[in-house]
Amino acid sequence: ICSYESARMVKSAHITQGEKYLKGVLYHVGWTVVHSNSLRFSEFYERIVGKGSSKQKAFIVVAYKVLRIIYQVLQKNIQI
């Protein structure tokens, strides 16, 4: 279990909100991009795992990074 502390308040780092199926899809997206030929995401994953996080949490962090990139592409209406 991962947690963080700030101003004497301890918060859990678990993902508790959101659609359960979407969270599952995001986990698989994280796994896929880490195991692809993209060095950007693979190195990001290795850096997170190197800091002591579990591999499962690292996949989720990578997936949310991909989600933020997708959101920016859609928001700025970028043509791919």
Side-chain angles (χ1 to χ4, degrees):
I1 297 177
C2 185
S3 63
Y4 58 96
E5 186 174 341
S6 177
R8 290 188 237 143
M9 293 181 67
V10 178
K11 298 181 180 180
S12 174
H14 286 255
I15 301 172
T16 57
Q17 297 179 351
E19 176 67 39
K20 64 180 180 178
Y21 297 112
L22 180 59
K23 290 189 288 186
V25 168
L26 284 175
Y27 178 82
H28 289 289
V29 166
W31 186 91
T32 303
V33 297
V34 165
H35 289 92
S36 69
N37 292 329
S38 173
L39 288 177
R40 177 180 182 180
F41 293 111
S42 298
E43 290 173 353
F44 182 65
Y45 168 81
E46 291 298 331
R47 191 171 74 227
I48 294 167
V49 171
K51 289 181 181 179
S53 294
S54 69
K55 291 181 179 181
Q56 183 177 13
K57 182 178 178 186
F59 286 136
I60 293 169
V61 172
V62 170
Y64 275 103
K65 184 175 184 78
V66 171
L67 183 63
R68 288 190 306 268
I69 291 170
I70 291 170
Y71 178 77
Q72 288 298 316
V73 167
L74 293 174
Q75 184 181 30
K76 295 180 181 180
N77 206 8
I78 298 172
Q79 298 295 324
I80 299 177

